[in-house]
Amino acid sequence: MQNVIKRFITARKHLRLTQADLATSLGFKQSYISNIEKGRNEVTSNIIIAMYRLYNISPEWLITGQGNIMSSFGDPSGNNSTAPEGPPLEEGADHHDYSDPMLVESMQQTIRSQETTIQMQEKVIRMLEAEVSRLKSEQNP
């Protein structure tokens, strides 16, 4: 896990963020990030996914060191700057015109983005499980 910590630090520095800035964006205290960097706290799957979603840091690179520091999966936030914006909806109301091709395309893009996020989360979990297995096998030869 020491290499994951080194890559975590590298990612933070690559983003030109202080520990406090990163902590704030991830919803933690600065001391939590400091403890990660000192090896006292783990780089959890939630942190890996948050760094991907907020900063496009590649989970594969962060966990294994393979690939590029920045993800090649596209916009992790799922935001689509070309998606049409409409007026706010009243709570519980369904004002969608499902015959509108732009709305349908926007909804399809949202679904694809959510599916990509789920796939990414599943991949991160598999990579973390593999890393844990590898570390356990190194400890018990």
Side-chain angles (χ1 to χ4, degrees), residues 21-32:
D21 292 337
L22 182 60
T24 299
S25 69
L26 297 176
F28 296 107
K29 293 182 178 180
Q30 182 271 332
S31 60
Y32 187 81

Side-chain angles (χ1 to χ4, degrees), residues 43-50 52 57-60 62-63 73 117-131:
V43 180
T44 65
S45 60
N46 288 338
I47 291 172
I48 293 168
I49 291 167
Y52 165 67
I57 297 296
S58 168
E60 182 177 12
L62 197 52
I63 295 167
F73 287 100
T117 298
I118 290 168
Q119 290 169 353
M120 176 60 71
Q121 290 170 337
E122 291 170 342
K123 184 176 182 179
V124 166
I125 289 168
R126 286 190 304 273
M127 286 189 294
L128 286 170
E129 288 170 342
E131 183 70 6

Side-chain angles (χ1 to χ4, degrees), residues 84-125:
E85 298 223 5
L89 298 177
E90 297 172 24
E91 187 173 332
D94 185 354
H95 298 286
H96 298 295
D97 177 6
Y98 294 105
S99 64
D100 179 358
M102 286 183 65
L103 175 64
V104 171
E105 175 62 25
S106 175
M107 292 172 70
Q108 289 172 338
Q109 288 175 349
T110 299
I111 291 168
R112 284 191 298 270
S113 173
Q114 290 172 345
E115 288 171 343
T116 300
T117 298
I118 290 168
Q119 290 169 353
M120 176 60 71
Q121 290 170 337
E122 291 170 342
K123 184 176 182 179
V124 166
I125 289 168

